[in-house]
Amino acid sequence: MINRVKEILIIFLGNLCVGAGVSLFVLPNNILTGGVAGVAVALEPIIPLDPVLVINVLTIGLYIVGAIVLGKEFAIKSFLSTIFYPMSVTGLAMIIQMLPQEIFIMPDWLAAIGSGVLIGLGLGLVFIVDASTGGLDIPALILSKYLKIKSGDAMAFVDGLVVLLGIFTYGFVPALIGIVSVFVMGQAINKTVLFNTQQAKNLLIISDQWQQIKTYLINTIDRGVTILEGQGGYTNEKRPVLMCVVSQKQLSKIESNIIHIDPCAFMVIHDVNQVQGEGFTFLNHERGGLENEEHAKRIS
């Protein structure tokens, strides 16, 4: 029950951010950003309808598509967004209309960056709970699901198509401004989605002193070590390869100590965006690492 309430609050906050980005930056400055707001802006010169009305109609229509393709659970969570997002855009647009309009007029590049950050933040929050604000992030989530690409990159691709549409109605320069908004939005989505994950580093270590390094990692650093079988491509010599996942703040110290143990050690370091398991997401022992050395050996 608590998790469900938390998800609802995140969805509401995310939609509020997206609605604010659209109402404060996109509509007053006619920014060719992505999403249904970008479609509404791009179509306004040829379809004389209120952009807020176009946004609301597209949001509901694409929600139906998403419910069919992405499943029941997605439809339940996204139903809230289908209510919150139009309410946010409509409510904030009404408030803005009552204020002096010159407050919201700014250089196009500044409006593009502001809209990208705020909308990207909102979409990222909603994506964290596997929901949607409706609109064109639904096609983006479909691409992300079936093509296995980052949600932010998929969103940037779909929104890029919207910007291309804007070339035919506004011209090339406004479309370039729109690309800036789309790029910033994609980066903001990816950063927001990763905000709640456990970032770490994966080390692959090849060394003649592998036993001493393994002992150091297990006993001193309190991390499990997996021993992989490796074979040199040139010498055909078989030797163990140590694999160990460590937190980002531990990396510098570990590198220094491994080099101290073996100055000729060969290390490959990969970024890890999320880790599940002992020492990262499970309860730790009072020493601050794995519960005990025996368990470390077992999971390795």
Side-chain angles (χ1 to χ4, degrees):
M1 181 63 182
I2 295 178
N3 288 336
R4 182 65 66 180
V5 172
K6 181 180 178 181
E7 288 179 353
I8 292 173
L9 291 175
I10 291 175
I11 292 172
F12 174 76
L13 180 59
N15 280 276
L16 185 62
C17 288
V18 175
V22 170
S23 301
L24 295 174
F25 297 103
V26 175
L27 297 183
N29 298 280
N30 287 328
I31 299 299
L32 289 170
T33 187
V36 292
V39 174
V41 171
L43 294 179
E44 189 176 8
I46 57 178
I47 302 178
L49 293 175
D50 183 1
V52 175
L53 175 62
V54 174
I55 290 172
N56 293 343
V57 171
L58 288 176
T59 298
I60 295 173
L62 288 170
Y63 165 75
I64 296 173
V65 174
I68 294 172
V69 177
L70 297 175
K72 180 180 178 181
E73 182 67 19
F74 172 86
I76 293 173
K77 292 181 179 180
S78 299
F79 176 74
L80 295 174
S81 292
T82 307
I83 298 174
F84 291 153
Y85 178 49
M87 285 177 57
S88 298
V89 174
T90 303
L92 289 171
M94 292 175 61
I95 294 173
I96 289 173
Q97 288 177 358
M98 295 185 294
L99 300 173
Q101 295 303 296
E102 58 269 17
I103 297 177
F104 307 100
I105 303 302
M106 61 189 71
D108 290 343
W109 64 269
L110 186 59
I113 294 175
S115 63
V117 171
L118 204 52
I119 295 174
L121 172 62
L123 291 175
L125 288 173
V126 175
F127 287 173
I128 285 176
V129 294
D130 294 325
S132 162
T133 58
L136 293 188
D137 57 326
I138 290 177
L141 288 176
I142 293 174
L143 287 176
S144 180
K145 177 180 180 181
Y146 290 104
L147 298 183
K148 307 300 181 184
I149 59 179
K150 290 182 179 179
S151 55
D153 295 337
M155 195 76 209
F157 173 75
V158 173
D159 289 342
L161 297 179
V162 177
V163 173
L164 290 177
L165 172 64
I167 292 178
F168 297 100
T169 55
Y170 283 89
F172 188 66
V173 174
L176 289 178
I177 296 296
I179 291 175
V180 172
S181 176
V182 170
F183 176 78
V184 174
M185 186 189 310
Q187 297 301 309
I189 291 172
N190 288 336
K191 294 296 183 182
T192 305
V193 170
L194 292 177
F195 180 76
N196 197 37
T197 60
Q198 176 77 335
Q199 298 189 38
K201 298 288 185 179
N202 182 37
L203 276 67
L204 295 177
I205 306 163
I206 302 174
S207 170
D208 291 335
Q209 307 298 323
W210 65 272
Q211 290 183 327
Q212 187 177 349
I213 294 174
K214 181 194 72 170
T215 301
Y216 161 72
L217 292 172
I218 293 176
N219 294 340
T220 304
I221 304 301
D222 270 337
R223 294 300 181 196
V225 177
T226 298
I227 302 176
L228 308 176
E229 293 184 3
Q231 182 174 345
Y234 179 74
T235 63
N236 291 321
E237 179 183 350
K238 292 184 178 180
R239 60 173 60 190
V241 178
L242 304 182
M243 184 180 76
C244 181
V245 179
V246 301
S247 65
Q248 200 160 4
K249 65 182 180 181
Q250 293 176 310
L251 180 61
S252 178
K253 178 182 178 181
I254 290 174
E255 281 186 286
S256 176
N257 287 332
I258 289 177
I259 292 174
H260 179 73
I261 295 172
D262 181 7
C264 297
F266 184 82
M267 287 182 283
V268 179
I269 303 170
H270 300 98
D271 289 327
V272 178
N273 289 326
Q274 187 167 359
V275 185
Q276 299 289 336
E278 287 285 356
F280 290 93
T281 56
F282 295 166
L283 291 177
N284 289 341
H285 187 263
E286 61 183 0
R287 292 182 303 163
L290 297 175
E291 290 189 5
N292 52 62
E293 184 177 334
E294 187 62 34
H295 186 74
K297 295 176 181 177
R298 187 166 67 251
I299 66 174
S300 296

